[in-house]
Every structure is written in C-alpha cells, then in structure tokens.
Amino acid sequence: MSTSSHRVVIIGGGSAGVTVAARLRRAGVSDVAMVEPSQDHWYQPLWTLVGGGLADVARSRRPQSSVMPKGVTWIRGRAAAVDPEACTVTLEDGRTVGYEYLVMAPGIQLNWGGITGLPDALGRDGVSSNYDHALAPRTWDFVRATTRGTAVFAQPAGAIKCAGAPQKIAYLAADYWRRQGVLKDIDVHLVLPTPGMFGVPEFARILEQVVERYGITVHFNSEVVEVDGATREVIIRDNANDTKERLGYQVFHAVPPQSAPDWVRQGPLADTSTPAGYVALDKHTLRHVTYGNVFGLGDAGSTPNSKTGAAVRHQAPVLVKNLQEVMSGREPSAEYDGYASCPLTTARDRMLLAEFDYSLKPAPSIPILDTTHEHRDFGLLKKYGLPTLYWNLMLKGLA
C-alpha cells in the first residue's frame, strides 16, 4: 500500500484535532496532515438540547471539509495503529503514514455493550441516549410521550465525555414534565457512580437543590449494569454495598461506559495503569510521558480533567506552543492547569456554568457573574453562544 510522510500528523478530526491543526497553520507550521475518516463533523454538546426538545439535530452537523483548516492535508482513513519507534501510523486499509511529530486526538470510544442488553434495547420502548446523534431525537420522542410511570437517567462508572450530560437530560425532562403538569405522576431516578452530585462542592450544593426541586431520587455510588428491554427493567448495582436492585422504567436514558479506542488502548502509547487505556500524557505539558515527539489532547488523553470541549479549547494553545518549542529543540514550557467547563442545563431556560481546574475549585471566566448559581442568560449561552464560539472561533484557531 502507498506510504506518505509529513512533519506533523494529527490523528482525529474532531474538535481537538481541527483546533490544533488550525492553530499550527496560523503559527506558520507547514506540512500538517490529519487522519480522519468521517465526512461529517458534529457539534456534540447540542445533542443534550436535541434530546430535551430544544434544538434540531441538523444544527449540530457540518461537512468535515468545511472545517478543515486551509493548507492541511486530509488523509481520509481510519487509524489502526501507531509505531512510535518507527514514527509511523498504520491505517485500517493498510496504508502507512510517517511523521516527525504526532498529535493524538482520536476521541473516545462508546462501549455500548458494556451494559448488558443495551445494544438491543436502544431506540425503542423508551430506551435512548443523547450520546448518539441518531438517538438524541428519540430521547425527545420518549420524554414527550411519557405522562406517568418511572424514568431512569444513568451515568456509567469511569471517565466519560461531558460527564454532566447524564444529569442535564434528567433536569430538562423533569422541567418539561413539570410544565406539562405530569411530574407528580412520574418517579424520576438518577443513577450516579459518584458519592456526590458533582466533584466541586460549590456546584454540588446547587445540584442538590435542583434534584430536590424536581423530587428526583438519586442513587449514589451506583450504575446500571443491565437492561431488559422485554420487561422494561434495569438492574442497578450499588458499588459501595455490592448489592443490586431491579427497577422498572417507562423511559430510560442510557450512557455507555467509555474508553480510549481499542487500537489506542492496546497500543504502545496507552496509559497501562487503567483498563481505559488513554494516551499517557504529562498532565501539564500534554507531551507523551515516553515519546518526546508525541503529544495528545482531548477525550483520548490521560489527563485527569473533565472531558469537555472547553478543556480542549484550553489544551490546544498549550499543546501547540509546546510542540513548536520541541520542534525548535527546546523543552516545553507551557502548562495546562486542568481547566474544564460543564454547562449544566438545570431547567429548560436555566443553566449552571460549572468551571473548574485540577484543584477542583471554581475557575470562572466571566468575572461579572456568580457562576455558582443558576442563570437564565446562560441558557441562551448554551443554545446559541457556545455553538457560535465553536464553529466561528475555536475550530479556526481563534479562541
């Protein structure tokens, strides 16, 4: 098969890969190539609003060609392996691509089969997930059709992208049912693998008030491990007490366990300390801990930050600066502080903007507003402001 070689190769054309590519080109770096198989580029944060009946899924898609930075060579294919000793990337079709420097941004893998019975139940009889663009509209169909019974919203154990999304849809649905006058007839359950509502106490306190407002039963230290689509029941495992309970549902919003893509997890760049196998990165410089010409960012990285688009926006300039320094024979000097942002929709017209860093302390970017409280204006930010920032600034290397 054909072989090509480039100075910088980026694996992944999602938000992380495109943002880095745009910044590299703006910095004057030539011969940048991107390995990406998809013809579509998705703004995934909008899928929560799609599932809540507040947005059209079509607004979240654009052709991949429209977001590719000028001057970047698009290698249309799917990466299958990296040999960091030979400095090559092998694609699924057998082609190989050589590199001087590699940026790993392949995204995260959704392991639908990690919940027994889930693949067969998805998309019908009340079971859906906003983590797939084809399923998010079905979530709204099921929410809208529910007027009584039990609703279950679950988050799996382990790191996932946009860890607030499992809660967001619960609040959007509960607020819709409240406005329809049927919330009193619906028993809403939220299953969380964590011991609290959120890792940052200032935001956890607000979310405790939110679940109390809607009358939601929260199962802490727990996860859904099985779905029985025929009987419309889930099995919830309490990991703290090693017990299980069976709960019937009218509607169930599922979130699959997640990991690095299998080829990353099983390859030489993986962090072997956890089965998720994320790319082993220095959490500040974003440089690989073993291979000095390899960097990474985004959902596939091992950095212990929340996996969000906002994290990528703060990681990208650090990575690009450090990569340029390494290309010039210097040691990387820029540091990523773990910043992430989780815009938590707590009602159909309200949002809590949770911003924090590695210290798990609030790190507000809008000084004039108290981000430890819900705000109605933030709802407009989620629906209109953040997508505009994403398409027009972030992907072009301007923010």
Side-chain angles (χ1 to χ4, degrees):
M1 299 294 289
S2 63
T3 300
S4 62
S5 185
H6 300 272
R7 191 172 193 211
V8 179
V9 171
I10 301 169
I11 297 181
S15 59
V18 172
T19 300
V20 166
R23 285 182 171 271
L24 285 172
R25 292 294 296 134
R26 287 186 175 278
V29 178
S30 59
D31 195 16
V32 178
M34 180 182 295
V35 178
E36 170 56 45
S38 179
Q39 301 298 310
D40 297 319
H41 187 100
W42 298 91
Y43 177 65
Q44 298 182 30
L46 202 65
W47 295 348
T48 290
L49 299 185
V50 173
L54 294 175
D56 185 343
V57 71
R59 284 185 52 215
S60 68
R61 188 197 72 83
R62 291 189 182 180
Q64 183 71 23
S65 58
S66 71
V67 301
M68 291 292 290
K70 291 182 179 179
V72 172
T73 300
W74 182 7
I75 301 172
R76 302 190 185 195
R78 189 179 301 277
V82 170
D83 184 341
E85 300 293 342
C87 295
T88 59
V89 178
T90 300
L91 309 187
E92 283 187 348
D93 61 10
R95 285 178 292 164
T96 60
V97 181
Y99 65 83
E100 290 183 46
Y101 302 92
L102 179 67
V103 177
M104 291 288 289
I108 203 165
Q109 179 172 283
L110 304 180
N111 300 314
W112 298 101
I115 299 176
T116 302
L118 179 59
D120 293 332
L122 278 169
R124 61 176 183 268
D125 298 325
V127 180
S128 191
S129 177
N130 292 340
Y131 276 70
D132 185 286
H133 65 85
L135 290 169
R138 296 294 289 150
T139 302
W140 174 233
D141 291 340
F142 296 142
V143 167
R144 188 171 45 182
T146 300
T147 58
R148 62 180 61 252
T150 300
V152 181
F153 301 86
Q155 177 178 335
I160 62 172
K161 59 181 174 180
C162 194
Q167 293 191 44
K168 297 177 195 180
I169 186 58
Y171 307 145
L172 288 176
D175 191 37
Y176 172 76
W177 292 325
R178 178 186 64 81
R179 293 168 186 242
Q180 296 298 308
V182 298
L183 182 58
K184 64 183 183 303
D185 300 316
I186 301 175
D187 185 19
V188 184
H189 291 254
L190 180 59
V191 183
L192 299 178
T194 52
M197 293 298 302
F198 204 81
V200 180
E202 289 83 351
F203 302 126
R205 285 193 289 269
I206 301 300
L207 295 176
E208 288 166 1
Q209 297 170 13
V210 172
V211 296
E212 183 178 0
R213 182 167 78 214
Y214 294 127
I216 297 174
T217 299
V218 184
H219 303 252
F220 292 113
N221 299 305
S222 302
E223 59 185 312
V224 170
V225 295
E226 185 176 343
V227 184
D228 188 333
T231 63
R232 295 180 80 136
E233 294 177 311
V234 295
I235 293 178
I236 301 172
R237 183 175 65 206
D238 182 331
N239 293 322
N241 298 305
D242 196 23
T243 58
K244 292 182 179 179
E245 66 173 301
R246 186 176 287 266
L247 183 65
Y249 62 82
Q250 183 66 26
V251 60
F252 169 48
H253 181 268
V255 178
Q258 296 166 36
S259 68
D262 287 339
W263 68 268
V264 174
R265 188 168 54 85
Q266 297 162 4
L269 299 179
D271 175 5
T272 58
S273 67
T274 67
Y278 295 110
V279 180
L281 303 174
D282 179 281
K283 72 176 187 178
H284 293 298
T285 66
L286 305 179
R287 191 184 194 183
H288 194 271
V289 297
T290 302
Y291 300 98
N293 64 337
V294 177
F295 288 78
L297 78 166
D299 294 346
S302 66
T303 52
N305 55 276
S306 183
K307 297 181 182 294
T308 68
V312 167
R313 188 163 62 84
H314 282 244
Q315 289 174 338
V318 171
L319 185 151
V320 169
K321 185 176 190 298
N322 286 340
L323 175 54
Q324 287 183 282
E325 289 179 336
V326 170
M327 292 168 72
S328 299
R330 303 191 302 273
E331 285 299 303
S333 63
E335 292 195 346
Y336 168 59
D337 63 3
Y339 174 90
S341 172
C342 185
L344 288 152
T345 47
T346 55
R348 302 182 75 75
D349 58 355
R350 252 182 277 177
M351 191 180 82
L352 175 67
L353 185 59
E355 298 176 282
F356 48 95
D357 55 25
Y358 282 142
S359 71
L360 292 182
K361 299 291 185 183
S365 61
I366 309 175
I368 61 173
L369 289 175
D370 183 356
T371 57
T372 61
H373 289 79
E374 300 169 84
H375 291 273
R376 294 186 187 275
D377 289 346
F378 281 177
L380 297 175
L381 176 68
K382 169 74 172 174
K383 189 173 183 178
Y384 300 109
L386 295 179
T388 298
L389 170 68
Y390 182 78
W391 295 115
N392 298 327
L393 297 175
M394 180 174 163
L395 293 186
K396 296 180 179 179
L398 297 171

